[in-house]
Amino acid sequence: MSIKFKNREHEKFYEQCLARTGGLDPYHKAFFYTMGISDETRKHVEDVFDFQEDVIRPEGLNKGWQTSGSSCLTRLAFNLWNGWNADGYATPYDLFSTSDAAYMLEAIRIRYPEYCRESQVPSKGEAR
């Protein structure tokens, strides 16, 4: 599966984080892809992810560097990691009101490849 990156920094961050954790599963891939979309989230990834324990740090959402855009990316990354939605702000309306929505959808495709394959739309009259 080819992955569409926002820029070279995004791709480099993704590859470095996967190498650092050794995680090649969809959880790690989707998390680090999402966190790599923004320069701010790349710079502050250790505020929201504990590399030693291999766990997310939800308290990172309260850091002073978080903006509405970085918060959306972090919330999506947490949700793709383990279904996290502690505060109820993970609806499409809350998450996808950003210019990075196309990359956020790419993160979902990375996390759920089995559901994001192109499928044939049934023709009129066919059972779904």
Side-chain angles (χ1 to χ4, degrees):
M1 162 174 55
S2 67
I3 298 174
K4 180 175 82 174
F5 290 95
K6 185 173 184 177
N7 51 39
R8 180 64 187 130
E9 291 80 19
H10 182 197
E11 184 174 10
K12 183 178 175 184
F13 172 86
Y14 172 80
E15 291 169 356
Q16 288 174 338
C17 288
L18 291 181
R20 186 173 173 187
T21 62
L24 296 177
D25 55 82
Y27 307 96
H28 284 88
K29 288 179 177 181
F31 181 86
F32 291 119
Y33 177 89
T34 305
M35 293 306 296
I37 292 170
S38 158
D39 184 49
E40 280 302 301
T41 52
R42 286 193 299 270
K43 279 192 251 180
H44 298 284
V45 69
E46 298 209 20
D47 285 343
V48 297
F49 190 82
D50 184 328
F51 282 88
Q52 187 172 5
E53 297 293 322
D54 200 37
V55 296
I56 60 171
R57 293 178 169 163
E59 64 275 11
L61 279 167
N62 301 319
K63 297 288 186 174
W65 59 267
Q66 288 278 15
T67 64
S68 60
S70 66
S71 176
C72 285
L73 290 173
T74 304
R75 291 172 195 281
L76 177 62
F78 285 176
N79 188 269
L80 294 173
W81 177 259
N82 66 2
W84 183 92
N85 185 20
D87 58 9
Y89 294 105
T91 68
Y93 177 83
D94 298 314
L95 292 175
F96 295 100
S97 58
T98 171
S99 61
D100 289 322
Y103 300 103
M104 295 167 80
L105 290 170
E106 183 76 358
I108 293 168
R109 190 177 71 80
I110 291 167
R111 172 61 181 84
Y112 300 104
E114 66 275 19
Y115 301 117
C116 296
R117 292 188 178 102
E118 289 202 28
S119 61
Q120 294 293 323
V121 176
S123 60
K124 190 175 180 178
E126 281 186 57
R128 292 181 184 222

